[in-house]
Amino acid sequence: MSGAETFVPTPMMLSDSARKRLQALIAEEGKPGLKLRVYVTGGGCSGFQYGFDFAEDVAEDDALIEFGEVALVVDELSYQYLVGSTVDYEEGLAGARFLVQNPNATTTCGCGASFMV
């Protein structure tokens, strides 16, 4: 190996249940160009918390990760905390929600919405 190799981190993944729910939400909105924006903000009981929103536009410094008909958008700052993560969707007694399974998190809160690295 020469010193010129570049390490490319594992991209984010999207579970089948999250992909299906995202496709359904996009169909409900009637906007095929919608993408799921995943981001990290300060706060939450463990230091950082995950957030989800819909995005029609992609900024120049956003990462666009496509999965066929659907895509995730992640801003540059959040991406460093989310590399290798899987966005999932679950329905249960606590309701229905998107969530992040993050191998970079050293601590998570009980609800899974916040984490620490």
Side-chain angles (χ1 to χ4, degrees), residues 31-98:
K31 297 181 179 179
L34 278 182
K35 297 154 191 62
L36 181 65
R37 180 173 291 281
V38 184
Y39 57 92
V40 172
T41 59
C45 47
S46 295
F48 294 102
Q49 59 187 0
Y50 303 111
F52 300 94
D53 199 1
F54 282 107
E56 291 187 71
D57 300 318
V58 179
E60 187 175 307
D61 61 346
D62 283 341
L64 176 64
I65 308 159
E66 297 179 312
F67 300 93
E69 301 172 11
V70 298
L72 299 177
V73 177
V74 184
D75 66 85
E76 185 176 29
L77 182 61
S78 297
Y79 190 76
Q80 64 186 324
Y81 296 108
L82 296 169
V83 169
S85 296
T86 299
V87 174
D88 197 5
Y89 178 78
E90 69 176 13
E91 293 181 15
L93 295 175
R97 65 184 178 146
F98 285 102

